[in-house]
Amino acid sequence: MATRHQHQEHTRSYYAASVNEKTDYPVLQGAKTTDVCVIGGGFTGVATALTLAERGYSVALIEANRIGWGASGRNGGQLINGISGLAKIRKKHGEGIADMLWDLKWRGNDIVHDRVARYDIACDLKNGFVEAAVKPRHMDELEEYAAELDAHNFAYEYTIWDREKTREMLGTDAYIGGFINYRDGHLHPLNLCIGEARAAHDLGVQIFEQSPVTKIAHGDRPKVHTASGYVEADSVVLAGNAYHFLEPKHLSNLTFPAGSYIIATEPLPDETVNQINPTDVAVCDLNEIMDYYRLSADKRMLYGGQCNYSGREPASIMASIVPRMLKVYPQLKNVKIEYEWGGMIGIVLNRIPALGRINKNVYYCQGYSGHGVNVTHIMGELVSDAIAGTMEKFDLFANMKHFRIPGSQWMGNQLIALGMLYYRMKDLV
Ligand SMILES: Cc1cc2nc3c(=O)[nH]c(=O)nc-3n(C[C@H](O)[C@H](O)[C@H](O)COP(=O)(O)OP(=O)(O)OC[C@H]3O[C@@H](n4cnc5c(N)ncnc54)[C@H](O)[C@@H]3O)c2cc1C
């Protein structure tokens, strides 16, 4: 079955309006052969293709729309360490792998920094990420986090802020404290994705856009079909995340699409910038249903949140996000909102990214539960290792049990929405 999102241009976002380069890779025509065929041109697909090309593989990457068209070109741009569900893997395998998992959860940050430097990708990458506490229990969590960093002799700057310091650094009374670390940060995600695709292309990766994959024909050398051609490869990587409907027998009802939404204001005057975010850091609150925000390079407030687990679009993105922003920053009341957009994240019930193999040579990698800029780059490396025969880290994820909700995807989304009500209530208490 093909994707329902086909042959589209980028959504009207601040990112699409400020790209360094508009991509125009050809449509796949006729028959091609290659070592690896990657389906999906978001961070998972592009990072995997680039890693494989760096290691000498021949790669074809097929995207239904444009490079970075999905969540990767629309997200909050927060480059944050961690992998959802990692605690469960640690629990299963014990303390023996604790240090390896600690390194792994930061690995995506390192890959992004390396690539930005190596391929000279202009994507406004900056260090500094604040977790903002709304409730006393959040402060306890931050104390524990600081102790964990201490124990690992964390080599980057980090500090807990009290209420007063948080007010001074973020210009709001909304928080009772915060925690800043300078290994996480923020960036322009669409420019990163397009820049990585450019680097992959320069290394010989064949990229096809506007080419929705309709079918994977399995075999010793699977064939990946589109309406006008196919790619035959030793291995296939399926990286369509919340936007693909391929391999339903194995993957339907494993990952559920949930919407997340962002608004971008007009560029703010220096005076306001100096009041609300003088050191230009990314911010996430610690609620279960979180708000996240940062300034763009041209000093717009990019404010996101309002995850919608039912799969339905909100009637108005602005109407749902602006009140959230004004609660934190009433001083932005008269600021013009110039962009509003949303995208789909892939939710997995147990929150562990869904990695696996179908028939030994078709790999899939999806479901980062809203936390993907860092994680996609880690997973791209794990999948590339697996293709080369090193399965250790890939199998840590692939061997975790996932629950597939029986019935239709609509039904699954309703159940997830119901489950999230619990967390909404928790935020309110
Ligand atoms: C609004 C929003 C804000 C977010 N904020 C953050 C954040 O600040 N920090 C963070 O870490 N994470 C964030 N995320 C999550 C993060 O963006 C995702 O986890 C990550 O981008 C997923 O990347 P991906 O490549 O797996 O999927 P996507 O970027 O969604 O890419 C999948 C691609 O596959 C293509 N595709 C699908 N089907 C086919 C097919 N049949 N044939 C060919 N191509 C196909 C699609 O067109 C699409 O381009 C956010 C997500 C959203 C939506």
Side-chain angles (χ1 to χ4, degrees):
M1 197 195 297
T3 166
R4 281 173 218 158
H5 310 276
Q6 307 184 353
H7 307 290
Q8 293 179 7
E9 296 299 330
H10 286 289
T11 196
R12 197 189 160 274
S13 68
Y14 159 71
Y15 298 129
S18 54
V19 282
N20 299 327
E21 170 196 348
K22 282 198 161 82
T23 57
D24 189 17
Y25 294 104
V27 170
L28 174 66
Q29 305 278 2
K32 315 266 176 207
T33 58
T34 182
D35 294 336
V36 184
C37 176
V38 178
I39 304 168
F43 282 139
T44 302
V46 171
T48 305
L50 182 49
T51 303
L52 289 165
E54 285 168 343
R55 296 178 182 182
Y57 288 84
S58 68
V59 183
L61 184 149
I62 309 178
E63 163 56 47
N65 303 290
R66 293 276 171 216
I67 292 296
W69 174 90
S72 301
R74 309 176 187 211
N75 63 59
Q78 311 224 353
L79 177 64
I80 309 169
N81 81 89
I83 304 174
S84 321
L86 215 53
K88 291 181 183 148
I89 294 184
R90 182 167 163 175
K91 198 167 163 205
K92 180 172 170 186
H93 293 274
E95 289 308 300
I97 62 163
D99 284 345
M100 188 265 274
L101 292 183
W102 173 263
D103 291 340
L104 191 65
K105 74 177 189 163
W106 296 97
R107 178 70 192 139
N109 294 37
D110 296 344
I111 295 172
V112 169
H113 278 272
D114 284 354
R115 287 192 171 157
V116 166
R118 186 178 334 165
Y119 300 113
D120 196 16
I121 301 173
C123 63
D124 312 324
L125 176 59
K126 297 194 178 105
N127 293 332
F129 168 60
V130 177
E131 288 162 85
V134 183
K135 301 191 162 56
R137 73 179 140 83
H138 296 155
M139 290 309 286
D140 298 340
E141 287 165 27
L142 294 180
E143 297 281 355
E144 279 170 32
Y145 187 26
E148 204 185 359
L149 294 181
D150 289 344
H152 282 90
N153 296 321
F154 194 63
Y156 297 73
E157 194 184 335
Y158 59 98
T159 321
I160 293 188
W161 291 342
D162 61 13
R163 183 191 280 267
E164 208 170 304
K165 182 71 180 171
T166 310
R167 187 187 297 128
E168 180 194 326
M169 299 307 287
L170 297 181
T172 171
D173 277 324
Y175 309 122
I176 60 170
F179 181 91
I180 183 150
N181 90 73
Y182 285 94
R183 193 170 180 185
D184 291 326
H186 59 106
L187 49 80
H188 186 307
L190 185 53
N191 275 333
L192 173 63
C193 198
I194 288 174
E196 288 186 283
R198 164 66 51 206
H201 189 255
D202 289 348
L203 289 177
V205 173
Q206 301 179 71
I207 300 181
F208 303 101
E209 289 185 316
Q210 304 281 315
S211 304
V213 170
T214 51
K215 184 178 89 177
I216 303 169
H218 291 273
D220 287 345
R221 279 180 57 82
K223 283 186 183 153
V224 175
H225 290 266
T226 67
S228 54
Y230 70 84
V231 175
E232 186 181 309
D234 292 329
S235 310
V236 172
V237 179
L238 182 42
N241 203 20
Y243 288 101
H244 85 86
F245 301 91
L246 294 160
E247 297 296 311
K249 187 170 148 218
H250 301 276
L251 303 180
S252 68
N253 290 0
L254 178 62
T255 308
F256 293 88
S260 189
Y261 304 95
I262 302 181
I263 53 173
T265 66
E266 63 186 326
L268 302 174
D270 289 349
E271 194 190 330
T272 311
V273 168
N274 289 337
Q275 192 202 19
I276 67 172
N277 199 341
T279 56
D280 201 358
V281 292
V283 185
C284 242
D285 71 37
L286 284 166
N287 281 324
E288 300 282 349
I289 314 288
M290 66 179 65
D291 284 7
Y292 49 89
Y293 57 89
R294 67 189 186 91
L295 297 173
S296 61
D298 61 355
K299 306 301 174 208
R300 298 165 189 274
M301 168 62 86
L302 306 186
Y303 200 99
Q306 185 64 39
C307 217
N308 181 341
Y309 294 89
S310 70
R312 282 192 308 272
E313 287 280 315
S316 160
I317 294 173
M318 257 190 241
S320 69
I321 304 289
V322 171
R324 298 174 79 108
M325 178 180 78
L326 293 182
K327 209 168 152 198
V328 181
Y329 290 114
Q331 57 271 59
L332 300 185
K333 188 161 179 255
N334 295 320
V335 164
K336 209 166 125 203
I337 310 298
E338 295 198 337
Y339 299 91
E340 55 171 347
W341 70 94
M344 291 296 162
I345 58 182
I347 301 282
V348 182
L349 274 190
N350 65 7
R351 293 293 194 264
I352 301 168
L355 266 66
R357 277 198 295 177
I358 304 167
N359 297 337
K360 292 222 177 288
N361 52 15
V362 175
Y363 297 76
Y364 59 88
C365 185
Q366 60 190 47
Y368 313 112
S369 302
H371 188 166
V373 178
N374 155 69
V375 184
T376 47
H377 288 82
I378 302 169
M379 296 304 154
E381 191 165 82
L382 265 52
V383 172
S384 303
D385 290 349
I387 287 172
T390 304
M391 305 299 295
E392 187 198 359
K393 290 180 189 161
F394 181 89
D395 279 347
L396 277 182
F397 292 86
N399 291 339
M400 294 301 286
K401 276 216 159 45
H402 286 282
F403 182 63
R404 287 169 67 182
I405 297 179
S408 66
Q409 182 178 291
W410 179 85
M411 175 82 146
N413 267 104
Q414 307 317 305
L415 286 173
I416 285 183
L418 204 62
M420 289 316 291
L421 255 183
Y422 162 77
Y423 290 109
R424 266 185 225 278
M425 301 300 290
K426 210 171 147 198
D427 286 340
L428 291 174
V429 175

